[in-house]
Amino acid sequence: MAYKKTEEYNQETTEILKENFTSIITEIGEDPSREGLVKTPERAAKAMQFLTQGYSMDAKEILSSALFPEDYSEIVIVKDIEVYSMCEHHILPFFGKAHIAYIPNGHVVGLSKLPRVVDVFARRLQVQERLTHEILNCLQDTLNPLGAAVVIEARHMCMMMRGVEKQNSITTTSAFTGEFRKTETRNEFLKLLLSNRV
């Protein structure tokens, strides 16, 4: 049997959002009954639920499900994690990369869980500054590491498509706890971020 990807959506929520998107299409001067737009409200309703699914997910539970005892106390980095989120000010996307590091304190976490944590917080209406801190705080509270670090680099469509319309601007945010507040450790982390890619 061939692989089949299925997606589930709350039908009541889908209908409410569908009505709202139909109204939006009408208010901007389009005809929602036009052939190309007939199914757009439903597609948009499902897309919005997908893009905000983080509200129904528990990042701490994800991390806690894959903690393993390990006597390792050096920096662990997962870098270039794709980030796709929605700016809460204009409901427009921002996207880029997240880099996460932590220093284990008796336990390590399954590496795939770190990108999942990024997705939990990114799949909400966000600002990049809060997103950075939410990821960091989750790591610190759940893993209890000797230190944690998060850096996010992103492009914001609200700056590129409207407003100042600056196409090449990149916003970088960072947050650190524990050992990463020390200059030497932070510099080692930043040096590793800039090292050659695999």
Side-chain angles (χ1 to χ4, degrees):
M1 184 179 203
Y3 171 79
K4 183 178 181 181
K5 181 178 179 181
T6 59
E7 295 178 350
E8 294 183 8
Y9 298 95
N10 180 293
Q11 193 56 44
E12 182 180 350
T13 301
T14 300
E15 287 302 317
I16 293 170
L17 290 173
K18 181 179 171 183
E19 289 179 17
N20 289 329
F21 278 114
T22 299
S23 178
I24 289 170
I25 290 170
T26 301
E27 291 301 320
I28 63 172
E30 259 289 1
D31 177 7
S33 65
R34 181 166 64 79
E35 183 179 358
L37 293 173
V38 170
K39 293 186 178 180
T40 296
E42 182 175 357
R43 291 191 195 105
K46 290 179 178 179
M48 185 58 71
Q49 290 175 80
F50 178 83
L51 295 171
T52 58
Q53 64 185 291
Y55 289 117
S56 61
M57 302 167 78
D58 187 333
K60 290 183 179 181
E61 185 178 303
I62 290 170
L63 286 180
S64 299
S65 71
L67 285 177
F68 307 101
E70 193 65 49
D71 184 23
Y72 183 85
S73 57
E74 303 298 328
I75 298 175
V76 176
I77 300 178
V78 178
K79 54 187 177 181
D80 295 335
I81 301 167
E82 294 91 344
V83 174
Y84 298 96
S85 192
M86 299 284 282
C87 164
E88 67 181 35
H89 299 144
H90 302 98
I91 319 292
L92 287 172
F94 66 91
F95 58 94
K97 294 180 179 180
H99 315 287
I100 294 177
Y102 75 101
I103 301 174
N105 185 16
H107 289 82
V108 296
V109 67
L111 295 177
S112 69
K113 304 305 179 186
L114 297 176
R116 291 184 188 279
V117 167
V118 171
D119 284 346
V120 168
F121 293 112
R123 298 297 189 184
R124 302 177 182 188
L125 299 182
Q126 276 289 9
V127 295
Q128 185 175 330
E129 297 87 344
R130 184 171 66 242
L131 174 60
T132 305
H133 276 283
E134 285 180 339
I135 296 168
L136 182 80
N137 292 338
C138 181
L139 294 174
Q140 188 63 45
D141 294 345
T142 310
L143 304 182
N144 190 31
L146 299 176
V150 176
V151 173
I152 297 178
E153 304 166 290
R155 297 179 184 273
H156 292 248
M157 298 307 285
C158 58
M159 288 181 64
M160 297 168 69
M161 290 181 68
R162 59 165 303 284
V164 295
E165 296 184 76
K166 299 302 179 188
Q167 307 306 308
N168 298 308
S169 63
I170 297 175
T171 300
T172 302
T173 50
S174 63
F176 306 92
T177 64
E179 291 295 311
F180 287 99
R181 292 187 178 274
K182 297 179 180 178
T183 302
E184 182 180 354
T185 310
R186 189 183 305 195
N187 285 344
E188 181 182 353
F189 164 61
L190 295 174
K191 182 179 178 181
L192 289 168
L193 276 190
L194 297 173
S195 65
N196 292 336
R197 301 294 195 255
V198 175

